[in-house]
Structure formats: structure tokens, C-alpha cells
Amino acid sequence: MAGLAAAQSYTVTDLGSLGGTATATAINASGEVVGSSGTAVQLVTHAFYWTPATGMIDLGTLGGNVSQAFGINARGIIAGGSNETDNTNTLAFIWTPNGVFHTLGNNGAVYAINDRGQATGVSGNNQDAFVWTKSAGKVPLGTLGGSNTIPHAISPQGQVVGYSFVGGNGAYHAFLWNQATGMTDLGTLGGINSYGLGINQSAQVVGWATVPGATFPYHAFYWTKSKGMEDLGTLGGNYSLALGINDAGQVVGSANLTGDTQGDAFFWTANGGMLDLNTMIPPNTGWVLSSANAINLAGQIVGDGFYNGAIHAFLLTPTGASSR
């Protein structure tokens, strides 16, 4: 399966829209995708669930104008957040395939869920970060010494990454949390801040970190316990962000080209380095891929880009691989 993801070409599938701008944020092992899409009504955005069989399904909201889906596991359980009817409170939720929203707290969102059903997010007036399981409820993540923590991804083993403030000066660092040892500061690339955005079963972490001496001083990073934080570089420009990693250690994200302010979606491997995904799809498709947000072990990639000038969600499937 992992070998398919190393293919040097992809087919592009337009995931459609609910009437407005759409972005895909996560994909599971079966190629099911979640994200958010604008609707035909201005300022109304809904979470969506996409499968090859059904296309894009509108998940609706918990009464308000906005819902967003951030994660999906192998059982099709979706993590996200939705406004209530008055649009002043956002409820953290888990959506199950029977169409039911299960709420996990006020003023928050669930950002990721793994195949064990462990979820991570924030809730409450202080945006307290947590790991949730059905049996244990919410377990607090704590902080790195500052005011609060924002989690972003959870591994198959229940390890969490995100960022946490480290003091009173507004600086924040990427962290790795697990139940046994608590929160570990992953450091930076020489700048002030860093943010963990993805983790796999081997506890390899990706994200972005500030670097000294650049106009847009942040680069994608790849962190391992043995080597610490490594700079993945850029596509020739001055910034990059690593947004997802699969269990084969393959990384996706967004980076700009030399002299360009618009990001291009990238694919990175330890052997091949950083490649522009726009060079890996057929020519004249009408697509400009801006951001690759997640990748599964089959090498399928989801994100968003410009399709004939409009922002759409996409699914990339390695040539020769089944889109299921």
C-alpha cells in the first residue's frame, strides 16, 4: 500500500461543493473524506462527509450557521464543531454514521479522532484541551506553562500533538502528549513559535516552526524522538507548512515557490524530498493545488485548490491505485 503513495502521478477528483468554497481536511483508510463547504447562503458553512458512493453529504449544524468537520476515523465517526441556534456558542461534537451529533462541551471543537474512538479537542470558557474516550470521559492535557493548549491531531495510540503557550510573552511551542508522561515540548527551528499538526503510529510529528531571518519565517518540520526537529525546507520560496503525515512517514502540506505568495500543495518523503504536487497531476486539468491537508496509507491526498478559478476540495489518488 505504501508503495502506491510514492507514485509520481495522481488523478484528481473534484469533491464538489455545497454551493460555495470547499476544503477537505481529513481522509480515512477507506478513502472517505470530511471537510467544510460554503453554501448558497452567504456566511453559512456546513461540514461535509464524502464517499465515492454517495458524493458530498451535508452534515448540517446544531442549529446555527456554521459547522466544520476536522477528522474522521475508520468507522466513519467524524470530529468537528458547530454553532448553536443563536450562533454565539460553538459545540464540540462527534458525529456518528447514524446521523447523530454527540456534543462534548460548549465553546469548543473536536479536532481529531482515531480508530480507537479517542478524540481530542477543546471546550469551556478557558478553551481547555482534552482527550476524550467514551469510558473515561475527558482527560485534561495541561499546558507547557502558559495560558492554554490547542490540540490538533491524535495518533492510533492516543498520543496528541498541537501547540501550547510556554509563558507570558505569547510564545507557543509544538508539543507531544501521552497519558504516561504528559506533555513534551518539541522546541522550534530557531525562532519563537512552533505548531504540531500531524502524528503517525511511530510518533513522527509534523507541523511548522518559525526560523530566524525570513520575511515569512516559518518552515515545515519533521520531528522524531531520535533526531528532534528537522527543517523540511520549501519549494524555493520563503515558507512551508507540513499539515499531515501517514504511517509510512510521507508528509503533505503547502509551500510557496520562488517569488510567489500563493502556496502550492506538496508531497515529501525522506528519500525524495519536497515535491510540488502540481507537477504530479496531468496537465490542463484546470487545477492549481494550493494545500494538501491529509494523506492516508494508500497515498490518497486531500486538500483544496483552485479549479478553473474557484476554490474546491480535491482528492488525489496515485495512478494505478483504486479510489475504492
Side-chain angles (χ1 to χ4, degrees):
M1 298 288 283
L4 293 174
Q8 295 303 295
S9 62
Y10 295 83
T11 59
V12 190
T13 301
D14 181 1
L15 299 187
S17 168
L18 299 175
T21 295
T23 183
T25 52
I27 183 170
N28 67 12
S30 300
E32 298 172 329
V33 182
V34 296
S36 306
S37 174
T39 69
V41 181
Q42 189 175 11
L43 302 180
V44 175
T45 297
H46 286 186
F48 73 76
Y49 174 40
W50 181 97
T51 75
T54 63
M56 186 176 287
I57 300 170
D58 187 340
L59 296 188
T61 73
L62 289 166
N65 290 339
V66 175
S67 63
Q68 295 177 287
F70 300 112
I72 182 171
N73 71 8
R75 292 179 286 167
I77 301 174
I78 296 168
S82 173
N83 287 352
E84 289 188 286
T85 303
D86 63 4
N87 292 308
T88 61
N89 178 41
T90 300
L91 293 170
F93 74 74
I94 291 173
W95 182 93
T96 52
N98 60 359
V100 176
F101 286 95
H102 303 271
T103 60
L104 298 185
N106 295 319
N107 298 316
V110 183
Y111 294 116
I113 186 167
N114 65 15
D115 291 346
R116 296 181 179 180
Q118 297 170 300
T120 188
V122 297
S123 67
N125 292 335
N126 295 323
Q127 295 283 279
D128 297 316
F130 62 81
V131 169
W132 175 92
T133 62
K134 187 175 181 179
S135 59
K138 294 179 183 177
V139 174
L141 297 185
T143 74
L144 289 174
S147 56
N148 69 329
T149 292
I150 303 295
H152 192 88
I154 188 166
S155 76
Q157 294 82 15
Q159 298 180 93
V160 178
V161 297
Y163 76 85
S164 182
F165 286 90
V166 296
N169 62 353
Y172 51 88
H173 287 183
F175 70 83
L176 171 64
W177 177 95
N178 65 57
Q179 183 76 56
T181 62
M183 191 173 289
T184 299
D185 187 338
L186 301 188
T188 73
L189 291 172
I192 297 172
N193 300 322
S194 59
Y195 196 150
L197 291 167
I199 184 171
N200 65 11
Q201 66 179 3
S202 302
Q204 297 166 327
V205 180
V206 297
W208 62 264
T210 52
V211 295
T215 304
F216 292 95
Y218 50 91
H219 283 189
F221 74 74
Y222 181 86
W223 181 95
T224 60
K225 186 176 181 179
S226 61
K227 294 184 178 180
M229 188 176 289
E230 299 177 76
D231 189 337
L232 297 189
T234 71
L235 289 173
N238 48 18
Y239 74 87
S240 59
L241 306 93
L243 302 172
I245 184 171
N246 66 12
D247 287 337
Q250 297 157 335
V251 181
V252 293
S254 182
N256 68 330
L257 304 174
T258 303
D260 192 2
T261 58
Q262 173 67 47
D264 278 23
F266 75 73
F267 171 74
W268 179 94
T269 63
N271 294 330
M274 187 179 291
L275 302 172
D276 187 342
L277 280 167
N278 288 286
T279 68
M280 303 166 74
I281 61 174
N284 305 315
T285 61
W287 279 97
V288 177
L289 309 177
S290 300
S291 183
N293 298 328
I295 181 171
N296 66 13
L297 189 56
Q300 294 175 295
I301 299 167
V302 295
D304 56 80
F306 292 91
Y307 182 51
N308 294 324
I311 299 175
H312 283 213
F314 66 75
L315 167 67
L316 301 184
T317 302
T319 301
S322 170
S323 61
R324 302 175 188 241

mmCIF file of all heavy atoms in Angstrom, residues 84-123:
data_model
loop_
_atom_site.group_PDB
_atom_site.id
_atom_site.type_symbol
_atom_site.label_atom_id
_atom_site.label_comp_id
_atom_site.label_asym_id
_atom_site.label_seq_id
_atom_site.Cartn_x
_atom_site.Cartn_y
_atom_site.Cartn_z
ATOM 1 N N GLU A 84 -24.573 26.743 17.763
ATOM 2 C CA GLU A 84 -25.967 26.528 18.126
ATOM 3 C C GLU A 84 -26.837 27.581 17.445
ATOM 4 O O GLU A 84 -26.355 28.430 16.693
ATOM 5 C CB GLU A 84 -26.128 26.606 19.636
ATOM 6 C CG GLU A 84 -25.532 25.429 20.383
ATOM 7 C CD GLU A 84 -25.894 25.459 21.846
ATOM 8 O OE1 GLU A 84 -25.322 26.291 22.579
ATOM 9 O OE2 GLU A 84 -26.748 24.655 22.251
ATOM 10 N N THR A 85 -28.123 27.543 17.722
ATOM 11 C CA THR A 85 -29.091 28.380 17.015
ATOM 12 C C THR A 85 -28.767 29.855 17.090
ATOM 13 O O THR A 85 -28.913 30.593 16.113
ATOM 14 C CB THR A 85 -30.509 28.126 17.571
ATOM 15 O OG1 THR A 85 -30.805 26.730 17.452
ATOM 16 C CG2 THR A 85 -31.551 28.931 16.803
ATOM 17 N N ASP A 86 -28.293 30.329 18.243
ATOM 18 C CA ASP A 86 -28.026 31.767 18.382
ATOM 19 C C ASP A 86 -26.680 32.183 17.815
ATOM 20 O O ASP A 86 -26.336 33.367 17.828
ATOM 21 C CB ASP A 86 -28.138 32.197 19.843
ATOM 22 C CG ASP A 86 -27.105 31.519 20.747
ATOM 23 O OD1 ASP A 86 -26.249 30.761 20.225
ATOM 24 O OD2 ASP A 86 -27.146 31.745 21.970
ATOM 25 N N ASN A 87 -25.882 31.191 17.321
ATOM 26 C CA ASN A 87 -24.583 31.447 16.686
ATOM 27 C C ASN A 87 -23.549 32.072 17.619
ATOM 28 O O ASN A 87 -22.524 32.565 17.163
ATOM 29 C CB ASN A 87 -24.740 32.330 15.437
ATOM 30 C CG ASN A 87 -25.459 31.609 14.322
ATOM 31 O OD1 ASN A 87 -25.095 30.504 13.947
ATOM 32 N ND2 ASN A 87 -26.521 32.230 13.814
ATOM 33 N N THR A 88 -23.792 32.056 18.927
ATOM 34 C CA THR A 88 -22.814 32.614 19.859
ATOM 35 C C THR A 88 -21.995 31.530 20.554
ATOM 36 O O THR A 88 -20.942 31.812 21.114
ATOM 37 C CB THR A 88 -23.505 33.472 20.939
ATOM 38 O OG1 THR A 88 -24.421 32.649 21.682
ATOM 39 C CG2 THR A 88 -24.258 34.629 20.299
ATOM 40 N N ASN A 89 -22.471 30.296 20.527
ATOM 41 C CA ASN A 89 -21.777 29.194 21.207
ATOM 42 C C ASN A 89 -21.482 28.100 20.201
ATOM 43 O O ASN A 89 -22.368 27.695 19.427
ATOM 44 C CB ASN A 89 -22.631 28.642 22.342
ATOM 45 C CG ASN A 89 -21.975 27.467 23.041
ATOM 46 O OD1 ASN A 89 -20.767 27.475 23.280
ATOM 47 N ND2 ASN A 89 -22.756 26.449 23.361
ATOM 48 N N THR A 90 -20.235 27.644 20.185
ATOM 49 C CA THR A 90 -19.845 26.536 19.321
ATOM 50 C C THR A 90 -19.694 25.278 20.150
ATOM 51 O O THR A 90 -18.945 25.259 21.128
ATOM 52 C CB THR A 90 -18.521 26.840 18.596
ATOM 53 O OG1 THR A 90 -18.680 28.009 17.788
ATOM 54 C CG2 THR A 90 -18.131 25.683 17.684
ATOM 55 N N LEU A 91 -20.398 24.224 19.758
ATOM 56 C CA LEU A 91 -20.358 22.959 20.474
ATOM 57 C C LEU A 91 -19.358 22.012 19.833
ATOM 58 O O LEU A 91 -19.371 21.815 18.614
ATOM 59 C CB LEU A 91 -21.739 22.306 20.477
ATOM 60 C CG LEU A 91 -22.826 23.030 21.274
ATOM 61 C CD1 LEU A 91 -24.181 22.395 20.980
ATOM 62 C CD2 LEU A 91 -22.526 22.987 22.767
ATOM 63 N N ALA A 92 -18.469 21.438 20.650
ATOM 64 C CA ALA A 92 -17.606 20.363 20.180
ATOM 65 C C ALA A 92 -18.477 19.135 19.940
ATOM 66 O O ALA A 92 -19.326 18.801 20.764
ATOM 67 C CB ALA A 92 -16.532 20.063 21.224
ATOM 68 N N PHE A 93 -18.271 18.455 18.806
ATOM 69 C CA PHE A 93 -19.129 17.306 18.533
ATOM 70 C C PHE A 93 -18.372 16.127 17.946
ATOM 71 O O PHE A 93 -17.307 16.266 17.362
ATOM 72 C CB PHE A 93 -20.292 17.681 17.599
ATOM 73 C CG PHE A 93 -19.924 17.894 16.146
ATOM 74 C CD1 PHE A 93 -19.623 16.831 15.299
ATOM 75 C CD2 PHE A 93 -19.910 19.174 15.600
ATOM 76 C CE1 PHE A 93 -19.307 17.020 13.961
ATOM 77 C CE2 PHE A 93 -19.597 19.382 14.259
ATOM 78 C CZ PHE A 93 -19.288 18.301 13.442
ATOM 79 N N ILE A 94 -18.987 14.966 18.114
ATOM 80 C CA ILE A 94 -18.655 13.753 17.374
ATOM 81 C C ILE A 94 -19.921 13.325 16.659
ATOM 82 O O ILE A 94 -20.992 13.217 17.265
ATOM 83 C CB ILE A 94 -18.156 12.638 18.312
ATOM 84 C CG1 ILE A 94 -16.793 13.001 18.895
ATOM 85 C CG2 ILE A 94 -18.060 11.308 17.577
ATOM 86 C CD1 ILE A 94 -16.310 12.048 19.953
ATOM 87 N N TRP A 95 -19.813 13.106 15.358
ATOM 88 C CA TRP A 95 -20.953 12.688 14.528
ATOM 89 C C TRP A 95 -20.785 11.214 14.183
ATOM 90 O O TRP A 95 -19.705 10.787 13.769
ATOM 91 C CB TRP A 95 -20.995 13.522 13.255
ATOM 92 C CG TRP A 95 -22.134 13.247 12.312
ATOM 93 C CD1 TRP A 95 -23.336 13.888 12.269
ATOM 94 C CD2 TRP A 95 -22.152 12.295 11.234
ATOM 95 N NE1 TRP A 95 -24.106 13.390 11.253
ATOM 96 C CE2 TRP A 95 -23.404 12.410 10.588
ATOM 97 C CE3 TRP A 95 -21.228 11.361 10.764
ATOM 98 C CZ2 TRP A 95 -23.749 11.626 9.488
ATOM 99 C CZ3 TRP A 95 -21.571 10.568 9.672
ATOM 100 C CH2 TRP A 95 -22.818 10.708 9.046
ATOM 101 N N THR A 96 -21.832 10.442 14.383
ATOM 102 C CA THR A 96 -21.779 9.016 14.089
ATOM 103 C C THR A 96 -22.554 8.707 12.822
ATOM 104 O O THR A 96 -23.455 9.469 12.421
ATOM 105 C CB THR A 96 -22.335 8.204 15.268
ATOM 106 O OG1 THR A 96 -23.626 8.707 15.635
ATOM 107 C CG2 THR A 96 -21.409 8.285 16.462
ATOM 108 N N PRO A 97 -22.224 7.612 12.145
ATOM 109 C CA PRO A 97 -22.838 7.316 10.842
ATOM 110 C C PRO A 97 -24.354 7.133 10.864
ATOM 111 O O PRO A 97 -24.970 7.081 9.799
ATOM 112 C CB PRO A 97 -22.134 6.022 10.419
ATOM 113 C CG PRO A 97 -20.796 6.104 11.066
ATOM 114 C CD PRO A 97 -21.067 6.730 12.397
ATOM 115 N N ASN A 98 -24.968 7.033 12.038
ATOM 116 C CA ASN A 98 -26.433 7.004 12.092
ATOM 117 C C ASN A 98 -27.031 8.401 12.039
ATOM 118 O O ASN A 98 -28.246 8.577 12.183
ATOM 119 C CB ASN A 98 -26.920 6.273 13.345
ATOM 120 C CG ASN A 98 -26.439 6.916 14.636
ATOM 121 O OD1 ASN A 98 -25.707 7.910 14.623
ATOM 122 N ND2 ASN A 98 -26.831 6.338 15.766
ATOM 123 N N GLY A 99 -26.152 9.409 11.837
ATOM 124 C CA GLY A 99 -26.620 10.779 11.646
ATOM 125 C C GLY A 99 -26.815 11.573 12.920
ATOM 126 O O GLY A 99 -27.434 12.636 12.901
ATOM 127 N N VAL A 100 -26.266 11.098 14.042
ATOM 128 C CA VAL A 100 -26.471 11.746 15.339
ATOM 129 C C VAL A 100 -25.231 12.533 15.746
ATOM 130 O O VAL A 100 -24.108 12.030 15.670
ATOM 131 C CB VAL A 100 -26.819 10.706 16.419
ATOM 132 C CG1 VAL A 100 -26.942 11.371 17.782
ATOM 133 C CG2 VAL A 100 -28.114 9.981 16.057
ATOM 134 N N PHE A 101 -25.439 13.776 16.178
ATOM 135 C CA PHE A 101 -24.379 14.580 16.780
ATOM 136 C C PHE A 101 -24.321 14.294 18.276
ATOM 137 O O PHE A 101 -25.327 14.393 18.975
ATOM 138 C CB PHE A 101 -24.654 16.081 16.592
ATOM 139 C CG PHE A 101 -24.438 16.599 15.210
ATOM 140 C CD1 PHE A 101 -25.498 16.707 14.319
ATOM 141 C CD2 PHE A 101 -23.188 17.017 14.797
ATOM 142 C CE1 PHE A 101 -25.308 17.210 13.042
ATOM 143 C CE2 PHE A 101 -22.977 17.529 13.527
ATOM 144 C CZ PHE A 101 -24.048 17.621 12.646
ATOM 145 N N HIS A 102 -23.140 13.973 18.790
ATOM 146 C CA HIS A 102 -22.911 13.818 20.225
ATOM 147 C C HIS A 102 -22.011 14.972 20.661
ATOM 148 O O HIS A 102 -20.883 15.107 20.176
ATOM 149 C CB HIS A 102 -22.241 12.484 20.520
ATOM 150 C CG HIS A 102 -23.014 11.301 20.012
ATOM 151 N ND1 HIS A 102 -23.975 10.662 20.762
ATOM 152 C CD2 HIS A 102 -22.973 10.664 18.820
ATOM 153 C CE1 HIS A 102 -24.497 9.674 20.063
ATOM 154 N NE2 HIS A 102 -23.905 9.638 18.873
ATOM 155 N N THR A 103 -22.490 15.813 21.553
ATOM 156 C CA THR A 103 -21.745 17.008 21.932
ATOM 157 C C THR A 103 -20.833 16.725 23.114
ATOM 158 O O THR A 103 -21.179 15.981 24.037
ATOM 159 C CB THR A 103 -22.696 18.168 22.265
ATOM 160 O OG1 THR A 103 -23.542 17.800 23.347
ATOM 161 C CG2 THR A 103 -23.547 18.512 21.051
ATOM 162 N N LEU A 104 -19.644 17.365 23.089
ATOM 163 C CA LEU A 104 -18.626 17.161 24.126
ATOM 164 C C LEU A 104 -18.271 18.446 24.855
ATOM 165 O O LEU A 104 -17.233 18.508 25.514
ATOM 166 C CB LEU A 104 -17.358 16.552 23.515
ATOM 167 C CG LEU A 104 -17.491 15.181 22.859
ATOM 168 C CD1 LEU A 104 -16.128 14.671 22.409
ATOM 169 C CD2 LEU A 104 -18.137 14.176 23.801
ATOM 170 N N GLY A 105 -19.115 19.469 24.732
ATOM 171 C CA GLY A 105 -18.844 20.673 25.503
ATOM 172 C C GLY A 105 -19.097 21.941 24.726
ATOM 173 O O GLY A 105 -19.128 21.957 23.492
ATOM 174 N N ASN A 106 -19.280 23.031 25.494
ATOM 175 C CA ASN A 106 -19.508 24.349 24.919
ATOM 176 C C ASN A 106 -18.198 25.016 24.524
ATOM 177 O O ASN A 106 -17.129 24.656 25.013
ATOM 178 C CB ASN A 106 -20.228 25.245 25.932
ATOM 179 C CG ASN A 106 -21.619 24.750 26.260
ATOM 180 O OD1 ASN A 106 -22.357 24.309 25.382
ATOM 181 N ND2 ASN A 106 -21.980 24.813 27.544
ATOM 182 N N ASN A 107 -18.321 26.019 23.660
ATOM 183 C CA ASN A 107 -17.192 26.877 23.286
ATOM 184 C C ASN A 107 -15.981 26.071 22.864
ATOM 185 O O ASN A 107 -14.870 26.278 23.353
ATOM 186 C CB ASN A 107 -16.809 27.801 24.447
ATOM 187 C CG ASN A 107 -17.920 28.746 24.827
ATOM 188 O OD1 ASN A 107 -18.561 29.325 23.957
ATOM 189 N ND2 ASN A 107 -18.184 28.883 26.109
ATOM 190 N N GLY A 108 -16.181 25.137 21.956
ATOM 191 C CA GLY A 108 -15.059 24.306 21.555
ATOM 192 C C GLY A 108 -15.262 23.577 20.266
ATOM 193 O O GLY A 108 -16.169 23.876 19.481
ATOM 194 N N ALA A 109 -14.397 22.613 20.037
ATOM 195 C CA ALA A 109 -14.449 21.765 18.843
ATOM 196 C C ALA A 109 -13.634 20.517 19.119
ATOM 197 O O ALA A 109 -12.735 20.522 19.965
ATOM 198 C CB ALA A 109 -13.899 22.498 17.616
ATOM 199 N N VAL A 110 -13.964 19.453 18.404
ATOM 200 C CA VAL A 110 -13.155 18.237 18.407
ATOM 201 C C VAL A 110 -12.345 18.243 17.120
ATOM 202 O O VAL A 110 -12.905 18.321 16.028
ATOM 203 C CB VAL A 110 -14.024 16.968 18.498
ATOM 204 C CG1 VAL A 110 -13.148 15.731 18.571
ATOM 205 C CG2 VAL A 110 -14.943 17.037 19.711
ATOM 206 N N TYR A 111 -11.017 18.176 17.225
ATOM 207 C CA TYR A 111 -10.150 18.358 16.067
ATOM 208 C C TYR A 111 -9.683 17.058 15.423
ATOM 209 O O TYR A 111 -9.259 17.069 14.272
ATOM 210 C CB TYR A 111 -8.940 19.200 16.468
ATOM 211 C CG TYR A 111 -9.301 20.614 16.848
ATOM 212 C CD1 TYR A 111 -9.084 21.076 18.151
ATOM 213 C CD2 TYR A 111 -9.895 21.469 15.933
ATOM 214 C CE1 TYR A 111 -9.432 22.364 18.510
ATOM 215 C CE2 TYR A 111 -10.248 22.767 16.294
ATOM 216 C CZ TYR A 111 -10.013 23.204 17.584
ATOM 217 O OH TYR A 111 -10.382 24.481 17.951
ATOM 218 N N ALA A 112 -9.746 15.950 16.163
ATOM 219 C CA ALA A 112 -9.259 14.695 15.584
ATOM 220 C C ALA A 112 -9.831 13.532 16.367
ATOM 221 O O ALA A 112 -10.133 13.648 17.556
ATOM 222 C CB ALA A 112 -7.729 14.647 15.603
ATOM 223 N N ILE A 113 -9.948 12.376 15.689
ATOM 224 C CA ILE A 113 -10.414 11.153 16.336
ATOM 225 C C ILE A 113 -9.674 9.979 15.709
ATOM 226 O O ILE A 113 -9.458 9.946 14.499
ATOM 227 C CB ILE A 113 -11.941 10.998 16.206
ATOM 228 C CG1 ILE A 113 -12.438 9.784 17.005
ATOM 229 C CG2 ILE A 113 -12.378 10.937 14.744
ATOM 230 C CD1 ILE A 113 -13.945 9.761 17.187
ATOM 231 N N ASN A 114 -9.241 9.021 16.539
ATOM 232 C CA ASN A 114 -8.518 7.873 15.997
ATOM 233 C C ASN A 114 -9.427 6.650 15.917
ATOM 234 O O ASN A 114 -10.611 6.699 16.292
ATOM 235 C CB ASN A 114 -7.240 7.588 16.801
ATOM 236 C CG ASN A 114 -7.502 7.153 18.233
ATOM 237 O OD1 ASN A 114 -8.614 6.777 18.605
ATOM 238 N ND2 ASN A 114 -6.458 7.191 19.053
ATOM 239 N N ASP A 115 -8.886 5.540 15.430
ATOM 240 C CA ASP A 115 -9.705 4.358 15.204
ATOM 241 C C ASP A 115 -10.144 3.681 16.498
ATOM 242 O O ASP A 115 -11.051 2.838 16.484
ATOM 243 C CB ASP A 115 -8.964 3.367 14.305
ATOM 244 C CG ASP A 115 -8.819 3.870 12.881
ATOM 245 O OD1 ASP A 115 -9.511 4.854 12.528
ATOM 246 O OD2 ASP A 115 -8.018 3.294 12.124
ATOM 247 N N ARG A 116 -9.525 4.018 17.620
ATOM 248 C CA ARG A 116 -9.961 3.520 18.916
ATOM 249 C C ARG A 116 -11.149 4.311 19.475
ATOM 250 O O ARG A 116 -11.692 3.973 20.511
ATOM 251 C CB ARG A 116 -8.822 3.583 19.936
ATOM 252 C CG ARG A 116 -7.632 2.695 19.639
ATOM 253 C CD ARG A 116 -6.592 2.852 20.745
ATOM 254 N NE ARG A 116 -5.418 2.016 20.537
ATOM 255 C CZ ARG A 116 -4.385 1.969 21.363
ATOM 256 N NH1 ARG A 116 -4.391 2.716 22.465
ATOM 257 N NH2 ARG A 116 -3.347 1.185 21.106
ATOM 258 N N GLY A 117 -11.487 5.407 18.803
ATOM 259 C CA GLY A 117 -12.538 6.280 19.302
ATOM 260 C C GLY A 117 -12.053 7.316 20.281
ATOM 261 O O GLY A 117 -12.857 8.001 20.927
ATOM 262 N N GLN A 118 -10.736 7.487 20.415
ATOM 263 C CA GLN A 118 -10.180 8.552 21.246
ATOM 264 C C GLN A 118 -10.205 9.854 20.442
ATOM 265 O O GLN A 118 -9.785 9.890 19.286
ATOM 266 C CB GLN A 118 -8.746 8.226 21.643
ATOM 267 C CG GLN A 118 -8.613 6.978 22.505
ATOM 268 C CD GLN A 118 -7.166 6.556 22.658
ATOM 269 O OE1 GLN A 118 -6.490 6.266 21.672
ATOM 270 N NE2 GLN A 118 -6.678 6.502 23.886
ATOM 271 N N ALA A 119 -10.708 10.906 21.070
ATOM 272 C CA ALA A 119 -10.852 12.191 20.388
ATOM 273 C C ALA A 119 -10.134 13.267 21.182
ATOM 274 O O ALA A 119 -9.994 13.178 22.404
ATOM 275 C CB ALA A 119 -12.326 12.548 20.239
ATOM 276 N N THR A 120 -9.699 14.308 20.477
ATOM 277 C CA THR A 120 -9.037 15.427 21.156
ATOM 278 C C THR A 120 -9.608 16.737 20.654
ATOM 279 O O THR A 120 -9.959 16.882 19.480
ATOM 280 C CB THR A 120 -7.508 15.380 20.959
ATOM 281 O OG1 THR A 120 -6.891 16.372 21.796
ATOM 282 C CG2 THR A 120 -7.108 15.609 19.516
ATOM 283 N N GLY A 121 -9.726 17.694 21.572
ATOM 284 C CA GLY A 121 -10.276 18.993 21.223
ATOM 285 C C GLY A 121 -10.185 19.945 22.392
ATOM 286 O O GLY A 121 -9.393 19.746 23.328
ATOM 287 N N VAL A 122 -11.024 20.980 22.352
ATOM 288 C CA VAL A 122 -11.086 21.976 23.423
ATOM 289 C C VAL A 122 -12.543 22.266 23.738
ATOM 290 O O VAL A 122 -13.426 22.101 22.889
ATOM 291 C CB VAL A 122 -10.369 23.292 23.058
ATOM 292 C CG1 VAL A 122 -8.882 23.075 22.839
ATOM 293 C CG2 VAL A 122 -10.989 23.938 21.821
ATOM 294 N N SER A 123 -12.789 22.716 24.967
ATOM 295 C CA SER A 123 -14.132 23.143 25.342
ATOM 296 C C SER A 123 -14.039 24.001 26.587
ATOM 297 O O SER A 123 -13.014 24.026 27.279
ATOM 298 C CB SER A 123 -15.050 21.943 25.598
ATOM 299 O OG SER A 123 -14.625 21.223 26.746
#
